[in-house]
Amino acid sequence: MIDPFALCIVTILVLALLGLPIGHAMIAASILYLYLAGLDMGTAAEQLLNGMYSSYILLAVPLFILSAEIMNSGSMTTRLLGFCNALVGRFRGGLAQVNVVQSIIFAGMSGSAIADAAGTGKMMQKMMTDGGRYPASFAAALTAATAVIGPIIPPSIPVVLYALVSDASIGYLFLAGMLPGLLMGLAQMGIVVWTARQRDFPVEAPVPLREIPGITLRAIPALMMPVVLLGGIYSGITTPTEAAAIAAAYAFLISALLYRTVSLRGTYRSLLSSARTTASIGMLIAGALVFNYVITIENIPRTLSVFLQGMDLSPLMFLLIVNVLLLALGCLLEGTTIILIVLPVLIPTAEALGVDLVHFGIVCVVNIMIGLITPPYGLLLFIMTNIGQVSLRALVGEVLPFLYAMLAALAAITLFPDFVLFLPRLFGYQG
C-alpha cells in the first residue's frame, strides 16, 4: 500500500507544478491524507478555522500591507525620498546610496520586501536610469537587494508569521531585527561605495544646506510613522496588532489631511490591492495550518528532533545546518511557505539544543529574505526583471556582489547571538 503521507507530499508537488496555488495544493493534499489515513476529513476545516480565527496576531498582516499601500498612493514616499537624497545624494554613487537609505527608512513602515520593491522600487529604478546615469541592470539589482532589508527591520510580516509558529514575543523579535537590518544596510552601502569608484558612477548635484531644514520638516510627519508604530509596542500601550492598525490610520490621516494627496479613488485602490494581497497570503496560511496538522499526526517534528539530538550537534553546528538548508530552500520556495511549513519542524530541535528562539527567528528570517534574491528562482529577481525591463542573466550578474555581502552579514548574525539580542535584553528580555 502507498504511504498516505508520501502520497500527500507527491500530491502537493504535482498540483503546484500544474499551477495550482501552493495554499490550495496543501489543503487538497491534506484532505487526501486524512481520507487515506481513515481520519475525519472535517478536521481540515476545524484546523483551518481554529488557526485563522483564534490567532489575533494574524490581523497585523493585512494592516501592515494596508499602511504600505496608503504610503505608496500618497506623497509620503516622495517626501521620504527627498529626505534621503538630502542626506546621502551628494556622494559619488549618491542615488544608489539613496536607494539603500530609503529601504532602511521604509523598512519601519511596510514590513514587506515585495511592497518595498513594487512601491519605492519603481521610483528608484526610474530615478537611477533617467539620462543613463546608472545601468538598468545595476539599478534593478540594487533595488532587489535593498528590498530584502524591509522585513528584517521592524515591522515585519515574516517575523509576525514566525511568532505565530514559535510563540516567541513579537516585541522582542522586532527589537532583535533592528541591528541585523542595519548591518545588512551597511554591507550594501559598502558594496555601493566600492562599485561607484570602480565604475565611476555620477555625483549628484548636492542639495543646498539652506534647503535641508525645509526638506526635513516636510518629511517629519512621514518619518514619525515608525516612532508611532514601535513606540506604542515598546511602551506597552498597544499590542503589535493594535499598533499596526494605528500605523495604517496614521498613514491615511497624514496622506489625506496633512499632505492632501489621497483621493477617494486612491483610497479604494489601496483597499482593493491590500485585500488581494491579504487573500493570497491568507490562503497560504490556511493551507499551512492544515498541512502542519498532518505533520503533527506523523510526529515529524519530534522524530527529527530526536534524530538531530542523537547526532550530538552543538547549537552552532545546528544553526549552520539550518543556514544551508534555508538558503537552499530559499532558491526554490516562497518565504512564507518556508516559515509556515519548514520552521515548525525545526523549532523543537532548536529549543532542545538550547538555541534562543528570538535569535533563531532572526537568523531564519534573514536566510529567507536572502533567498528572495538568490538565483535561480528568487522572487525579487523576477519582480525586478519586470520593473527594470532587464534580462535575468544581466540582473543576476549585478546582484551577486550584494548577495555575497549579505551572506557575510548572515554569518556574523549567526556567530554572534549577543549582537542580535543586545536590544531585546536592553528592554528586559531574559533569553
Side-chain angles (χ1 to χ4, degrees):
M1 292 181 64
I2 299 175
D3 178 65
F5 184 70
L7 188 58
C8 175
I9 298 296
V10 170
T11 302
I12 292 175
L13 294 175
V14 170
L15 291 177
L17 289 172
L18 290 174
L20 191 69
I22 187 69
H24 296 75
M26 286 190 290
I27 292 174
S30 299
I31 292 174
L32 176 63
Y33 169 87
L34 294 172
Y35 172 74
L36 294 175
L39 301 172
D40 181 9
M41 289 186 289
T43 306
E46 180 184 349
Q47 291 297 316
L48 190 155
L49 292 173
N50 286 342
M52 294 294 283
Y53 289 105
S54 65
S55 183
Y56 178 63
I57 190 176
L58 282 180
L59 279 175
V61 174
L63 292 169
F64 283 140
I65 293 170
L66 178 59
S67 63
E69 288 290 341
I70 292 172
M71 283 175 54
N72 289 331
S73 67
S75 67
M76 292 179 74
T77 299
T78 305
R79 293 170 189 263
L80 288 172
L81 285 176
F83 174 74
C84 295
N85 185 54
L87 285 181
V88 297
R90 65 185 65 238
F91 305 112
R92 182 165 298 280
L95 266 183
Q97 298 289 13
V98 168
N99 201 335
V100 181
V101 173
Q102 65 85 19
S103 284
I104 293 173
I105 293 176
F106 275 88
M109 302 181 191
S110 71
S112 166
I114 306 303
D116 288 351
T120 58
K122 290 181 181 178
M123 298 179 66
M124 288 306 310
Q125 182 73 18
K126 185 176 185 302
M127 289 171 63
M128 290 181 68
T129 54
D130 273 353
R133 286 181 288 185
Y134 293 84
S137 56
F138 175 81
L142 177 60
T143 301
T146 58
V148 169
I149 300 173
I152 300 171
I153 297 176
S156 165
I157 292 172
V159 165
V160 171
L161 297 178
Y162 173 79
L164 173 70
V165 300
S166 69
D167 289 329
S169 163
I170 293 186
Y172 289 135
L173 283 165
F174 279 179
L175 281 170
M178 287 185 179
L179 293 181
L182 292 175
L183 178 64
M184 299 278 277
L186 289 173
Q188 292 177 3
M189 293 178 82
I191 295 296
V192 168
V193 169
W194 179 79
T195 307
R197 290 177 178 172
Q198 293 290 316
R199 298 165 67 171
D200 196 28
F201 284 154
V203 178
E204 305 301 318
V207 176
L209 292 177
R210 66 178 181 277
E211 295 182 13
I212 292 179
I215 293 172
T216 303
L217 185 63
R218 288 190 291 273
I220 280 178
L223 290 169
M224 286 298 294
M225 187 171 165
V227 177
V228 170
L229 175 67
L230 301 177
I233 295 174
Y234 300 130
S235 65
I237 297 174
T238 65
T239 65
T241 302
E242 292 165 348
I246 291 172
Y250 180 84
F252 177 76
L253 291 174
I254 291 298
S255 297
L257 301 182
L258 184 61
Y259 293 156
R260 299 174 184 266
T261 53
V262 174
S263 63
L264 286 175
R265 184 183 295 274
T267 302
Y268 172 75
R269 283 198 297 264
S270 296
L271 290 170
L272 188 62
S273 178
S274 301
R276 286 171 175 163
T277 305
T278 300
S280 176
I281 295 175
M283 281 306 302
L284 190 55
I285 294 172
L289 289 170
V290 179
F291 184 63
N292 282 340
Y293 177 69
V294 172
I295 290 175
T296 302
I297 293 175
E298 289 289 317
N299 205 25
I300 290 175
R302 174 64 181 167
T303 303
L304 180 63
S305 178
V306 170
F307 172 74
L308 291 175
Q309 289 178 58
M311 295 175 65
D312 197 26
L313 294 173
S314 67
L316 178 59
M317 184 59 66
F318 171 73
L319 286 175
L320 293 176
I321 292 173
V322 168
N323 278 343
V324 173
L325 173 64
L326 294 184
L327 287 171
L329 290 175
C331 299
L332 304 170
L333 298 176
E334 196 270 334
T336 305
T337 306
I338 298 174
I339 293 172
L340 295 173
I341 299 300
V342 178
L343 295 193
V345 177
L346 298 174
I347 286 170
T349 305
E351 286 186 292
L353 292 174
V355 176
D356 184 271
L357 286 188
V358 171
H359 176 233
F360 182 68
I362 298 303
V363 169
C364 291
V365 168
V366 171
N367 265 291
I368 291 165
M369 290 305 103
I370 291 175
L372 290 174
I373 64 165
T374 304
Y377 298 115
L379 182 58
L380 282 174
L381 297 180
F382 291 107
I383 290 174
M384 290 313 301
T385 55
N386 182 45
I387 290 175
Q389 295 297 300
V390 296
S391 70
L392 182 61
R393 181 187 182 92
L395 181 60
V396 168
E398 295 280 13
V399 87
L400 286 178
F402 296 102
L403 179 60
Y404 298 147
M406 286 189 284
L407 289 174
L410 172 62
I413 293 165
T414 303
L415 293 172
F416 304 105
D418 289 341
F419 173 73
V420 177
L421 298 175
F422 173 74
L423 286 179
R425 286 170 178 164
L426 206 60
F427 281 76
Y429 181 60
Q430 300 300 315

